[in-house]
Amino acid sequence: MTRLATAARTAATHRLFWPALVLAVLVLGNVAFTPNFLHIEVRAGHLYGSLIDILRLGAPLVVVSLGMTVVIATRGIDLSVGSTIAISGALACLVISDQGDQNSVGGVLVAVGLALALSLVLGLWNGFLVAGIGIQPIIATLILMVGGRGIAQLITDGQIITVNSDPYELIGGGYLATLPFSVLVAVVMIAVTAVLARRTALGVLIEATGGNAEASRLAGIRARGIMVMVYLFCGLCAGIAGLMISSNVHSADGNNAGLWYELDAILAVVIGGTSLGGGRFSLGGTVLGALIIQALSTTVYTVGIPPETTMLFKAVVVTIVCLIQSPAFRAKVFGRRPRSTPATPSEPAKIEVPA
Protein backbone atom coordinates (compact mmCIF):
# COMPACT_ATOMS: atom_id res chain seq x y z
CA MET A 1 0.00 0.00 0.00
CA THR A 2 2.87 2.31 0.88
CA ARG A 3 4.60 1.48 -2.39
CA LEU A 4 1.39 2.20 -4.30
CA ALA A 5 1.01 5.58 -2.60
CA THR A 6 4.65 6.37 -3.28
CA ALA A 7 4.26 5.40 -6.94
CA ALA A 8 1.14 7.59 -7.21
CA ARG A 9 2.95 10.57 -5.68
CA THR A 10 5.88 10.01 -8.02
CA ALA A 11 3.59 9.83 -11.05
CA ALA A 12 1.81 13.03 -9.97
CA THR A 13 5.11 14.90 -10.09
CA HIS A 14 5.69 13.98 -13.76
CA ARG A 15 5.01 16.92 -16.08
CA LEU A 16 2.79 14.84 -18.37
CA PHE A 17 0.65 13.40 -15.56
CA TRP A 18 -1.90 16.22 -15.27
CA PRO A 19 -2.39 16.82 -19.02
CA ALA A 20 -2.86 13.09 -19.53
CA LEU A 21 -5.31 12.92 -16.59
CA VAL A 22 -7.35 15.84 -17.96
CA LEU A 23 -7.51 14.23 -21.41
CA ALA A 24 -8.64 10.94 -19.87
CA VAL A 25 -11.34 12.73 -17.85
CA LEU A 26 -12.61 14.48 -20.99
CA VAL A 27 -12.79 11.20 -22.89
CA LEU A 28 -14.57 9.42 -20.02
CA GLY A 29 -16.96 12.36 -19.71
CA ASN A 30 -17.90 11.91 -23.36
CA VAL A 31 -18.47 8.20 -22.73
CA ALA A 32 -21.04 9.14 -20.08
CA PHE A 33 -23.08 11.07 -22.69
CA THR A 34 -22.29 8.86 -25.70
CA PRO A 35 -21.84 5.18 -24.74
CA ASN A 36 -20.24 4.25 -28.08
CA PHE A 37 -17.78 7.13 -27.94
CA LEU A 38 -14.81 4.74 -27.73
CA HIS A 39 -16.11 2.52 -30.53
CA ILE A 40 -13.78 2.33 -33.54
CA GLU A 41 -14.66 0.42 -36.68
CA VAL A 42 -13.29 -0.12 -40.17
CA ARG A 43 -15.66 1.26 -42.78
CA ALA A 44 -14.80 1.18 -46.50
CA GLY A 45 -11.21 0.43 -45.56
CA HIS A 46 -10.94 3.47 -43.25
CA LEU A 47 -10.89 3.76 -39.49
CA TYR A 48 -13.98 5.59 -38.18
CA GLY A 49 -14.95 6.67 -34.69
CA SER A 50 -15.03 9.64 -32.34
CA LEU A 51 -11.46 9.06 -31.18
CA ILE A 52 -10.28 8.96 -34.80
CA ASP A 53 -12.13 12.23 -35.42
CA ILE A 54 -10.34 13.86 -32.47
CA LEU A 55 -6.98 12.78 -33.88
CA ARG A 56 -7.86 13.79 -37.46
CA LEU A 57 -9.36 17.18 -36.62
CA GLY A 58 -6.70 17.86 -33.99
CA ALA A 59 -3.76 17.12 -36.33
CA PRO A 60 -3.47 20.72 -37.68
CA LEU A 61 -3.47 22.13 -34.15
CA VAL A 62 -0.83 19.61 -33.08
CA VAL A 63 1.45 20.69 -35.95
CA VAL A 64 0.94 24.40 -35.28
CA SER A 65 1.53 23.88 -31.55
CA LEU A 66 4.88 22.20 -32.22
CA GLY A 67 6.10 25.37 -33.91
CA MET A 68 4.61 27.53 -31.19
CA THR A 69 6.41 25.44 -28.53
CA VAL A 70 9.91 26.11 -29.83
CA VAL A 71 9.08 29.80 -30.31
CA ILE A 72 7.83 30.11 -26.72
CA ALA A 73 10.91 28.19 -25.53
CA THR A 74 13.01 31.11 -26.81
CA ARG A 75 10.82 33.47 -24.74
CA GLY A 76 8.94 34.56 -27.86
CA ILE A 77 5.43 34.17 -29.21
CA ASP A 78 3.87 34.00 -32.67
CA LEU A 79 0.43 35.55 -33.08
CA SER A 80 0.54 35.25 -36.87
CA VAL A 81 0.08 31.48 -37.24
CA GLY A 82 -3.66 31.86 -37.94
CA SER A 83 -2.98 34.32 -40.77
CA THR A 84 -0.21 32.09 -42.14
CA ILE A 85 -2.69 29.20 -42.19
CA ALA A 86 -5.10 31.31 -44.24
CA ILE A 87 -2.38 32.47 -46.66
CA SER A 88 -1.00 28.97 -47.20
CA GLY A 89 -4.40 27.46 -47.95
CA ALA A 90 -5.40 30.39 -50.13
CA LEU A 91 -2.30 30.23 -52.32
CA ALA A 92 -2.48 26.45 -52.73
CA CYS A 93 -6.17 26.53 -53.68
CA LEU A 94 -5.60 29.47 -56.07
CA VAL A 95 -2.82 27.63 -57.93
CA ILE A 96 -4.86 24.41 -58.14
CA SER A 97 -8.02 26.19 -59.27
CA ASP A 98 -6.13 27.81 -62.16
CA GLN A 99 -4.98 24.46 -63.49
CA GLY A 100 -6.79 22.78 -66.33
CA ASP A 101 -6.56 19.39 -64.61
CA GLN A 102 -6.98 19.80 -60.84
CA ASN A 103 -6.26 16.11 -60.31
CA SER A 104 -2.74 16.45 -61.69
CA VAL A 105 -0.30 15.26 -59.02
CA GLY A 106 2.46 17.44 -60.41
CA GLY A 107 0.26 20.52 -60.29
CA VAL A 108 -0.76 19.82 -56.71
CA LEU A 109 2.88 19.35 -55.68
CA VAL A 110 3.74 22.71 -57.25
CA ALA A 111 0.87 24.35 -55.33
CA VAL A 112 1.96 22.73 -52.07
CA GLY A 113 5.58 23.75 -52.65
CA LEU A 114 4.66 27.37 -53.36
CA ALA A 115 2.42 27.54 -50.26
CA LEU A 116 5.12 26.12 -47.99
CA ALA A 117 7.76 28.39 -49.51
CA LEU A 118 5.59 31.44 -48.83
CA SER A 119 5.01 30.21 -45.26
CA LEU A 120 8.77 30.01 -44.76
CA VAL A 121 9.13 33.57 -46.06
CA LEU A 122 6.52 34.74 -43.56
CA GLY A 123 8.34 32.92 -40.75
CA LEU A 124 11.61 34.51 -41.90
CA TRP A 125 9.93 37.92 -41.78
CA ASN A 126 8.89 37.36 -38.17
CA GLY A 127 12.37 36.16 -37.27
CA PHE A 128 13.94 39.19 -38.92
CA LEU A 129 11.72 41.59 -36.99
CA VAL A 130 12.34 39.84 -33.67
CA ALA A 131 16.01 38.82 -33.89
CA GLY A 132 17.31 41.28 -36.48
CA ILE A 133 15.61 44.51 -35.51
CA GLY A 134 14.77 43.68 -31.90
CA ILE A 135 11.02 44.29 -31.95
CA GLN A 136 9.08 42.61 -29.15
CA PRO A 137 7.76 39.25 -30.45
CA ILE A 138 4.14 40.03 -29.57
CA ILE A 139 4.30 43.26 -31.60
CA ALA A 140 6.33 41.84 -34.48
CA THR A 141 3.96 38.93 -35.04
CA LEU A 142 0.89 41.09 -34.42
CA ILE A 143 1.85 42.99 -37.59
CA LEU A 144 1.63 39.83 -39.69
CA MET A 145 -1.44 38.66 -37.77
CA VAL A 146 -3.33 41.74 -38.96
CA GLY A 147 -1.67 42.19 -42.34
CA GLY A 148 -1.74 38.49 -43.14
CA ARG A 149 -5.53 38.45 -43.25
CA GLY A 150 -5.35 41.18 -45.85
CA ILE A 151 -2.80 39.19 -47.87
CA ALA A 152 -5.02 36.11 -47.76
CA GLN A 153 -8.02 38.13 -48.97
CA LEU A 154 -5.92 39.66 -51.74
CA ILE A 155 -4.94 36.15 -52.90
CA THR A 156 -8.54 34.96 -52.87
CA ASP A 157 -9.88 38.30 -54.14
CA GLY A 158 -12.24 38.33 -51.19
CA GLN A 159 -13.96 35.16 -52.37
CA ILE A 160 -14.01 31.56 -51.16
CA ILE A 161 -11.94 29.50 -53.61
CA THR A 162 -13.22 25.95 -54.03
CA VAL A 163 -11.19 23.11 -55.52
CA ASN A 164 -12.05 19.60 -56.63
CA SER A 165 -8.75 17.79 -56.49
CA ASP A 166 -8.38 14.25 -55.19
CA PRO A 167 -4.58 14.47 -54.65
CA TYR A 168 -5.01 17.69 -52.66
CA GLU A 169 -7.88 16.24 -50.61
CA LEU A 170 -5.52 13.49 -49.44
CA ILE A 171 -3.54 15.94 -47.26
CA GLY A 172 -6.32 16.83 -44.85
CA GLY A 173 -9.25 14.57 -45.63
CA GLY A 174 -7.74 11.43 -47.16
CA TYR A 175 -6.65 8.09 -45.74
CA LEU A 176 -3.54 5.97 -46.14
CA ALA A 177 -3.38 2.38 -44.86
CA THR A 178 -6.76 2.89 -43.08
CA LEU A 179 -5.37 5.88 -41.13
CA PRO A 180 -6.15 9.57 -41.76
CA PHE A 181 -3.29 11.01 -43.79
CA SER A 182 -3.29 14.20 -41.69
CA VAL A 183 -2.60 12.13 -38.57
CA LEU A 184 0.36 10.49 -40.31
CA VAL A 185 1.70 13.93 -41.28
CA ALA A 186 1.36 15.08 -37.66
CA VAL A 187 3.18 11.97 -36.40
CA VAL A 188 6.03 12.59 -38.85
CA MET A 189 6.29 16.22 -37.73
CA ILE A 190 6.32 15.15 -34.07
CA ALA A 191 9.03 12.58 -34.75
CA VAL A 192 11.20 15.01 -36.74
CA THR A 193 10.83 17.74 -34.12
CA ALA A 194 11.59 15.33 -31.27
CA VAL A 195 14.70 13.97 -33.00
CA LEU A 196 16.03 17.44 -33.77
CA ALA A 197 15.22 18.78 -30.30
CA ARG A 198 16.19 15.81 -28.14
CA ARG A 199 18.74 13.84 -30.14
CA THR A 200 20.86 16.78 -31.18
CA ALA A 201 22.21 19.85 -29.42
CA LEU A 202 19.52 21.99 -31.00
CA GLY A 203 17.07 21.56 -28.12
CA VAL A 204 19.69 22.62 -25.57
CA LEU A 205 20.57 25.67 -27.66
CA ILE A 206 16.89 26.67 -27.87
CA GLU A 207 16.41 26.27 -24.12
CA ALA A 208 19.62 28.19 -23.43
CA THR A 209 18.47 31.03 -25.69
CA GLY A 210 15.12 31.18 -23.94
CA GLY A 211 16.65 30.92 -20.49
CA ASN A 212 19.02 33.84 -20.96
CA ALA A 213 19.72 35.10 -24.48
CA GLU A 214 22.56 37.39 -23.41
CA ALA A 215 24.31 34.70 -21.39
CA SER A 216 23.96 32.22 -24.24
CA ARG A 217 25.43 34.79 -26.65
CA LEU A 218 28.41 35.31 -24.31
CA ALA A 219 28.80 31.53 -24.18
CA GLY A 220 29.24 31.44 -27.94
CA ILE A 221 25.68 30.53 -28.96
CA ARG A 222 24.30 32.40 -31.97
CA ALA A 223 21.07 33.35 -30.24
CA ARG A 224 19.80 35.44 -33.14
CA GLY A 225 20.25 32.60 -35.57
CA ILE A 226 18.40 30.25 -33.22
CA MET A 227 15.52 32.73 -32.93
CA VAL A 228 15.24 33.16 -36.70
CA MET A 229 15.26 29.40 -37.12
CA VAL A 230 12.41 28.78 -34.63
CA TYR A 231 10.21 31.40 -36.33
CA LEU A 232 11.00 29.77 -39.69
CA PHE A 233 9.95 26.41 -38.29
CA CYS A 234 6.79 27.92 -36.80
CA GLY A 235 5.89 29.40 -40.20
CA LEU A 236 6.45 26.03 -41.86
CA CYS A 237 4.20 24.29 -39.31
CA ALA A 238 1.46 26.88 -39.85
CA GLY A 239 1.77 26.42 -43.62
CA ILE A 240 1.36 22.65 -43.33
CA ALA A 241 -1.68 23.17 -41.09
CA GLY A 242 -3.14 25.54 -43.68
CA LEU A 243 -2.85 22.85 -46.33
CA MET A 244 -4.54 20.32 -44.02
CA ILE A 245 -7.46 22.62 -43.22
CA SER A 246 -8.12 23.87 -46.75
CA SER A 247 -7.83 20.41 -48.29
CA ASN A 248 -10.24 18.98 -45.72
CA VAL A 249 -12.96 21.47 -46.68
CA HIS A 250 -11.96 21.66 -50.39
CA SER A 251 -11.81 25.43 -50.21
CA ALA A 252 -9.86 28.45 -48.99
CA ASP A 253 -11.47 31.23 -46.95
CA GLY A 254 -9.04 34.07 -46.38
CA ASN A 255 -11.27 35.63 -43.74
CA ASN A 256 -12.08 32.67 -41.50
CA ALA A 257 -9.46 29.96 -42.14
CA GLY A 258 -7.24 29.49 -39.10
CA LEU A 259 -9.21 32.01 -37.05
CA TRP A 260 -8.15 31.94 -33.35
CA TYR A 261 -5.65 29.15 -34.06
CA GLU A 262 -2.89 31.23 -32.46
CA LEU A 263 -4.78 31.29 -29.16
CA ASP A 264 -5.53 27.57 -29.26
CA ALA A 265 -1.86 26.83 -30.00
CA ILE A 266 -0.68 28.99 -27.09
CA LEU A 267 -3.20 27.29 -24.82
CA ALA A 268 -2.01 23.87 -25.95
CA VAL A 269 1.59 24.78 -25.16
CA VAL A 270 0.71 26.17 -21.72
CA ILE A 271 -1.53 23.24 -20.83
CA GLY A 272 1.32 20.95 -21.86
CA GLY A 273 3.54 22.44 -19.18
CA THR A 274 5.84 24.74 -21.16
CA SER A 275 6.43 28.06 -19.42
CA LEU A 276 5.71 31.30 -21.28
CA GLY A 277 8.89 32.59 -19.65
CA GLY A 278 11.02 30.50 -22.01
CA GLY A 279 13.60 27.82 -21.30
CA ARG A 280 12.62 24.20 -20.93
CA PHE A 281 9.83 22.88 -23.13
CA SER A 282 7.86 19.67 -23.47
CA LEU A 283 6.84 18.39 -26.90
CA GLY A 284 4.85 15.51 -25.39
CA GLY A 285 2.95 17.94 -23.18
CA THR A 286 2.19 20.13 -26.18
CA VAL A 287 0.72 17.20 -28.10
CA LEU A 288 -1.46 16.31 -25.11
CA GLY A 289 -2.49 19.95 -24.77
CA ALA A 290 -3.55 20.14 -28.43
CA LEU A 291 -5.55 16.93 -28.07
CA ILE A 292 -7.22 18.35 -24.95
CA ILE A 293 -8.29 21.44 -26.91
CA GLN A 294 -9.70 19.29 -29.72
CA ALA A 295 -11.36 16.88 -27.28
CA LEU A 296 -12.94 19.89 -25.61
CA SER A 297 -14.37 21.05 -28.95
CA THR A 298 -15.72 17.56 -29.57
CA THR A 299 -17.24 17.52 -26.08
CA VAL A 300 -19.12 20.74 -26.82
CA TYR A 301 -20.90 19.08 -29.75
CA THR A 302 -21.35 15.74 -28.00
CA VAL A 303 -22.93 17.18 -24.86
CA GLY A 304 -25.05 19.58 -26.89
CA ILE A 305 -23.91 22.83 -25.35
CA PRO A 306 -25.65 25.83 -26.99
CA PRO A 307 -23.39 27.56 -29.57
CA GLU A 308 -23.72 30.95 -27.86
CA THR A 309 -22.07 29.58 -24.70
CA THR A 310 -19.41 27.44 -26.39
CA MET A 311 -16.55 29.90 -25.96
CA LEU A 312 -17.49 30.54 -22.33
CA PHE A 313 -17.60 26.79 -21.64
CA LYS A 314 -14.15 26.30 -23.17
CA ALA A 315 -12.75 29.22 -21.17
CA VAL A 316 -14.10 27.79 -17.91
CA VAL A 317 -12.69 24.33 -18.61
CA VAL A 318 -9.27 25.68 -19.66
CA THR A 319 -9.16 27.78 -16.49
CA ILE A 320 -9.91 24.69 -14.38
CA VAL A 321 -7.21 22.73 -16.23
CA CYS A 322 -4.61 25.43 -15.61
CA LEU A 323 -5.54 25.64 -11.93
CA ILE A 324 -5.33 21.87 -11.49
CA GLN A 325 -1.83 21.87 -12.98
CA SER A 326 -0.64 24.66 -10.70
CA PRO A 327 1.35 23.24 -7.73
CA ALA A 328 0.62 26.40 -5.69
CA PHE A 329 -3.14 26.05 -6.29
CA ARG A 330 -3.11 22.36 -5.36
CA ALA A 331 -1.12 23.17 -2.23
CA LYS A 332 -3.74 25.69 -1.12
CA VAL A 333 -6.74 23.51 -1.97
CA PHE A 334 -5.45 20.22 -0.62
CA GLY A 335 -3.42 21.73 2.21
CA ARG A 336 -0.08 20.43 0.97
CA ARG A 337 2.94 22.61 0.91
CA PRO A 338 4.92 22.62 -2.33
CA ARG A 339 8.13 20.67 -2.17
CA SER A 340 10.87 22.98 -0.99
CA THR A 341 14.39 22.79 -2.28
CA PRO A 342 16.88 21.43 0.20
CA ALA A 343 18.82 24.08 2.04
CA THR A 344 22.42 24.50 1.05
CA PRO A 345 24.83 23.59 3.81
CA SER A 346 26.12 26.60 5.63
CA GLU A 347 29.78 27.36 5.59
CA PRO A 348 31.66 26.23 8.68
CA ALA A 349 32.16 28.95 11.24
CA LYS A 350 35.61 30.44 11.23
CA ILE A 351 37.51 29.80 14.42
CA GLU A 352 40.04 32.33 15.50
CA VAL A 353 43.26 30.65 16.53
CA PRO A 354 45.31 32.60 19.09
CA ALA A 355 48.88 33.23 18.09
Side-chain angles (χ1 to χ4, degrees):
M1 190 65 183
T2 305
R3 290 183 177 179
L4 184 61
T6 304
R9 283 196 295 269
T10 303
T13 59
H14 196 278
R15 63 166 57 189
L16 297 183
F17 174 79
W18 292 103
L21 179 63
V22 170
L23 182 59
V25 170
L26 278 175
V27 171
L28 293 177
N30 279 282
V31 172
F33 288 92
T34 309
N36 60 348
F37 186 81
L38 299 178
H39 179 69
I40 297 176
E41 62 179 349
V42 179
R43 188 185 303 171
H46 304 156
L47 285 178
Y48 278 93
S50 298
L51 293 180
I52 300 299
D53 288 340
I54 291 177
L55 294 176
R56 183 173 61 84
L57 298 176
L61 182 58
V62 169
V63 175
V64 174
S65 300
L66 290 176
M68 188 68 76
T69 301
V70 293
V71 168
I72 288 178
T74 61
R75 204 177 288 188
I77 202 158
D78 191 347
L79 298 180
S80 66
V81 292
S83 297
T84 305
I85 288 173
I87 293 172
S88 173
L91 181 59
C93 288
L94 177 66
V95 174
I96 293 174
S97 64
D98 287 339
Q99 296 175 0
D101 182 12
Q102 295 190 8
N103 288 320
S104 170
V105 176
V108 171
L109 290 177
V110 170
V112 169
L114 290 174
L116 294 182
L118 181 56
S119 301
L120 286 171
V121 171
L122 297 176
L124 180 63
W125 168 255
N126 283 334
F128 169 73
L129 292 181
V130 174
I133 300 182
I135 299 177
Q136 287 289 330
I138 192 171
I139 301 300
T141 56
L142 184 62
I143 296 172
L144 184 56
M145 176 187 176
V146 177
R149 287 289 167 190
I151 296 174
Q153 295 196 36
L154 284 174
I155 294 175
T156 61
D157 198 19
Q159 306 294 323
I160 296 178
I161 300 176
T162 58
V163 295
N164 187 17
S165 172
D166 291 337
Y168 189 62
E169 182 188 356
L170 174 66
I171 300 175
Y175 289 79
L176 182 65
T178 71
L179 293 173
F181 189 77
S182 58
V183 175
L184 297 177
V185 173
V187 169
V188 170
M189 289 299 295
I190 294 170
V192 171
T193 308
V195 168
L196 291 177
R198 299 307 180 198
R199 296 298 180 185
T200 68
L202 189 58
V204 177
L205 297 179
I206 292 174
E207 291 179 346
T209 302
N212 191 322
E214 182 62 20
S216 61
R217 185 186 67 80
L218 295 175
I221 299 174
R222 297 181 177 179
R224 290 184 177 179
I226 295 292
M227 294 171 71
V228 171
M229 185 193 62
V230 296
Y231 281 98
L232 265 174
F233 180 70
C234 191
L236 176 64
C237 290
I240 294 174
L243 297 176
M244 289 179 178
I245 295 171
S246 61
S247 66
N248 188 37
V249 296
H250 305 173
S251 63
D253 184 354
N255 194 34
N256 294 313
L259 195 63
W260 309 127
Y261 250 70
E262 54 277 348
L263 301 183
D264 282 346
I266 295 171
L267 272 178
V269 174
V270 173
I271 290 175
T274 298
S275 170
L276 289 176
R280 297 187 63 186
F281 61 94
S282 170
L283 295 176
T286 294
V287 174
L288 287 176
L291 293 179
I292 288 173
I293 297 295
Q294 184 56 48
L296 193 55
S297 300
T298 303
T299 303
V300 168
Y301 295 108
T302 302
V303 177
I305 296 175
E308 59 270 19
T309 60
T310 297
M311 298 301 291
L312 179 61
F313 172 77
K314 291 179 68 174
V316 170
V317 174
V318 169
T319 302
I320 294 173
V321 170
C322 293
L323 289 175
I324 289 175
Q325 292 191 89
S326 169
F329 176 79
R330 294 201 303 269
K332 288 183 179 180
V333 172
F334 300 108
R336 295 178 180 176
R337 295 181 178 179
R339 185 179 297 177
S340 59
T341 55
T344 55
S346 58
E347 295 182 358
K350 294 181 180 179
I351 302 175
E352 185 177 354
V353 179

